[in-house]
Amino acid sequence: MNDIKNNLKREIGLIGLSANIINIVIGAGIFVLPAIVAADLGAASILAYLFCGVLITLIMLCFAEVGSKITATGGVYTYIEKSFGAYAGFLTAILFLFSNITGTAAVANAIINIIAQIFQIPENPFIRVLFFLFLFGGLAYINILGLKKGVGLVKMITLLKLSPLLLIALIGFKDVSLVNLQWEVTPSFQQIGTTSLILFFAFSGAGSALSVNGEVKNAQKTIPRAILLSTVIILIIYMIIQTVAQGVLGASLPLFLENPLGEVANKIIGPVGFTLLTIGAGVSMFGNVSSKVLSTPRVFFAASRDQIIPFKKLSKVHQKYTTPHISIIVYASLCFLFSIAGGFKELAIISSATSLLIALGISIAVIKLRIDKRFETDLKTFKIPGGFTIPILSSIAILWFLSNLSLNKMIAVGISIVILSIIYFLIISKIGKKKE
């Protein structure tokens, strides 16, 4: 399953895809996550990372197997659509795009807030609009010019965003107090599980990065390797940063919810360190947005290609640059409009639950694809060892995650699925009448 017929070039290698995954997953969350986790578990926070790391590994192994078998552009949408059909694909595409666009818009607002804080720029709606126009217009232009330029930007931003984090983490070890890392009472399984739910959202985003699968070189090998490599790197970075933050600030860590790493840097280096981490936060957020502008338009492209979204122009490929230019422009435009509109806290509730539902679909897809003989290929693909054990454990873990969601979140997700189902069957009915 590839995109040769759509004229998309396979130019992304292991480093490029790994960087794209890391860039999207490590966004704004890492700069506030240590304080949030410490507020729940204190010095025992590292247990939540270990617990969540195991569960995330199970989920990402499922992504790796499915991604090695279905290598067409579209990422999680294509995985679900090929595994379960058009209806499931439609729900996945719309929910994924909706949560992705609003999330990107929220990050864009955070970027301008950081810039305003650094340069002491007064609140001005006109300046915000110009910034959003420059941000999304510039990123769209770079990605339309060619995939290599977009991937090159992602690699550069990934290096820039990780440098201050790793620097502070390494320097911070000399100021870590072992006393601050000791806990007297071990938290309950329920407490660790609830906090791990927060951490799951900090690991989300890989699905968006995998939307460029149809442009990955040697996809059967590159995709699973990139998924596993990036997951290990992200988990190690998170655990190191949490350990340093807890070890340096101790019981006071939960007091710095807005910028805990900035406070760590301020304590071990001084004001320069605080400024460095604040700038690092801005670069990290920019990297998150740049990766999404690279990846997510491919979902528009794939959904249009498969006639799940009834807009044929979204599946057009630029004759000169061989990029899905219409989809890139539409995605960037929607992000621009949502950025102007505001923060969308209500939409974040649906977005969080959606990522869990999609991950559940991927885990079940592993079982479906093994049973369905249509997906057998002569090419060597990645297969999770242990039979159906890993996908079953992954599904159980996700269902357990979902059980920790509030009733309001569950109702919101249910209503969204009902509304989208009605829209889907109306579209199918309209297409059927046209054929008659």
Side-chain angles (χ1 to χ4, degrees), residues 111-145:
I111 294 174
I112 187 62
N113 289 339
I114 285 181
I115 293 175
Q117 182 183 19
I118 294 174
F119 297 101
Q120 298 183 342
I121 301 173
E123 178 67 27
N124 188 315
F126 180 69
I127 293 178
R128 295 181 75 88
V129 171
L130 283 180
F131 172 77
F132 294 141
L133 183 62
F134 176 78
L135 174 66
F136 290 111
L139 289 174
Y141 177 72
I142 290 172
N143 282 281
I144 288 173
L145 287 182

Side-chain angles (χ1 to χ4, degrees), residues 139-249:
L139 289 174
Y141 177 72
I142 290 172
N143 282 281
I144 288 173
L145 287 182
L147 186 66
K148 285 185 177 180
K149 291 182 174 60
V151 174
L153 176 64
V154 166
K155 289 180 180 178
M156 181 182 69
I157 293 299
T158 302
L159 180 62
L160 290 174
K161 75 189 289 185
L162 293 182
S163 296
L165 288 173
L166 295 177
L167 180 64
I168 293 301
L170 293 174
I171 294 176
F173 265 111
K174 67 180 176 61
D175 293 301
V176 168
S177 171
L178 294 179
V179 176
N180 290 336
L181 298 177
Q182 298 174 358
W183 63 88
E184 297 179 359
V185 180
T186 301
S188 67
F189 185 74
Q190 183 64 38
Q191 286 177 302
I192 296 175
T194 302
T195 306
S196 295
L197 181 60
I198 300 172
L199 289 179
F200 175 82
F201 300 136
F203 279 90
S204 64
S208 178
L210 295 174
S211 300
V212 296
N213 279 1
E215 294 148 281
V216 174
K217 294 182 289 187
N218 194 11
Q220 278 75 20
K221 292 183 178 180
T222 301
I223 292 171
R225 288 175 180 175
I227 290 173
L228 298 177
L229 175 62
S230 58
T231 300
V232 171
I233 291 174
I234 291 165
L235 180 58
I236 291 174
I237 291 173
Y238 278 10
M239 291 179 68
I240 290 176
I241 289 175
Q242 183 67 39
T243 301
V244 171
Q246 183 66 47
V248 172
L249 297 181

Side-chain angles (χ1 to χ4, degrees), residues 73-118:
T73 287
V76 293
Y77 151 71
T78 302
Y79 298 165
I80 299 296
E81 194 272 335
K82 297 297 183 185
S83 301
F84 302 107
Y87 171 61
F90 173 82
L91 290 179
T92 301
I94 301 301
L95 290 174
F96 175 77
L97 289 169
F98 191 60
S99 62
N100 188 290
I101 290 169
T102 54
T104 303
V107 174
N109 275 277
I111 294 174
I112 187 62
N113 289 339
I114 285 181
I115 293 175
Q117 182 183 19
I118 294 174

